[in-house]
Amino acid sequence: MKVTYEIENIDEFRAWSGAVATRNAIIENHKQDEFMFILEDIFPNGCSETELNDFLWFDSDFIFSALGIEQS
């Protein structure tokens, strides 16, 4: 069974494992809207929860660079 849902903001997404830190950094830096624009460009047809989580987890360097978030 496949369950899908739409999110308006990354705040609504419940990330897990390594994606949590990236999601939190986006929120803490108030870059939610910019991140949603990036998602729409990268996944024009949408994506699964796992794809979004993996993007947050494994592509954090790209995400931080694109959003101008400095990593500590």
Side-chain angles (χ1 to χ4, degrees):
M1 175 173 68
K2 182 178 181 179
V3 178
T4 62
Y5 62 96
E6 188 169 320
I7 61 171
E8 296 292 321
N9 198 303
I10 194 62
D11 299 61
E12 300 169 20
F13 181 67
R14 294 180 58 186
W16 63 91
S17 296
V20 173
T22 305
R23 177 193 172 272
N24 290 347
I26 293 166
I27 293 168
E28 289 166 5
N29 286 277
H30 309 287
K31 300 288 187 170
Q32 296 97 315
D33 291 340
E34 292 175 53
F35 181 66
M36 294 306 289
F37 286 121
I38 290 171
L39 286 181
E40 290 171 6
D41 282 343
I42 292 176
F43 301 106
N45 298 318
C47 64
S48 70
E49 282 185 300
T50 301
E51 289 171 320
L52 176 52
N53 198 78
D54 286 353
F55 179 60
L56 286 164
W57 190 352
F58 300 113
D59 294 303
S60 60
D61 289 341
F62 168 78
I63 293 167
F64 292 150
S65 176
L67 296 176
I69 296 174
E70 296 209 16
Q71 300 178 53
S72 51

